[in-house]
Amino acid sequence: MKIFTATAAAQGRRHNDFNYCIEGELVWIGLVCATDRRNPDGGCGCGRAFAGMSSHRATTTAMIRDVATDRRRYIGALRASLEA
Ligand SMILES: [Zn+2]
């Protein structure tokens, strides 16, 4: 199943890139605060970041990888991340 994962590849292409995720962990597009909703390049960073489902950290770069999982397990992983 092709899904978004965290990567350090391409970090630095933008001056405000950051990566605090674990390489290869599953990511999703997380919640965005009011500050970044108005300006994704604002000081917070959540408006331009993916959220790590394991680390609960963020990264501005992600890549699609073919991961050995299926829809049911992916939903379970997202649910477990949100519960944590
Ligand atoms: Zn924010």
Side-chain angles (χ1 to χ4, degrees):
M1 181 177 179
K2 293 181 178 176
I3 48 183
F4 279 116
T5 61
T7 184
Q11 277 285 310
R13 286 191 184 175
R14 294 180 55 143
H15 73 282
N16 56 2
D17 270 342
F18 56 84
N19 178 25
Y20 301 106
C21 285
I22 301 163
E23 183 70 27
E25 76 171 296
L26 305 182
V27 295
W28 68 296
I29 298 173
L31 304 175
V32 178
C33 70
T35 300
D36 272 25
R37 196 171 301 132
R38 282 187 233 91
N39 177 14
D41 286 322
C44 179
C46 66
R48 61 183 183 279
F50 297 89
M53 289 168 55
S54 298
S55 68
H56 303 283
R57 309 293 298 265
T59 180
T60 53
T61 52
M63 67 184 301
I64 295 173
R65 288 186 168 100
D66 199 0
V67 177
T69 190
D70 58 26
R71 182 179 169 85
R72 184 184 58 79
R73 286 186 287 181
Y74 178 79
I75 291 170
L78 180 57
R79 179 174 289 133
S81 177
L82 293 171
E83 286 174 356

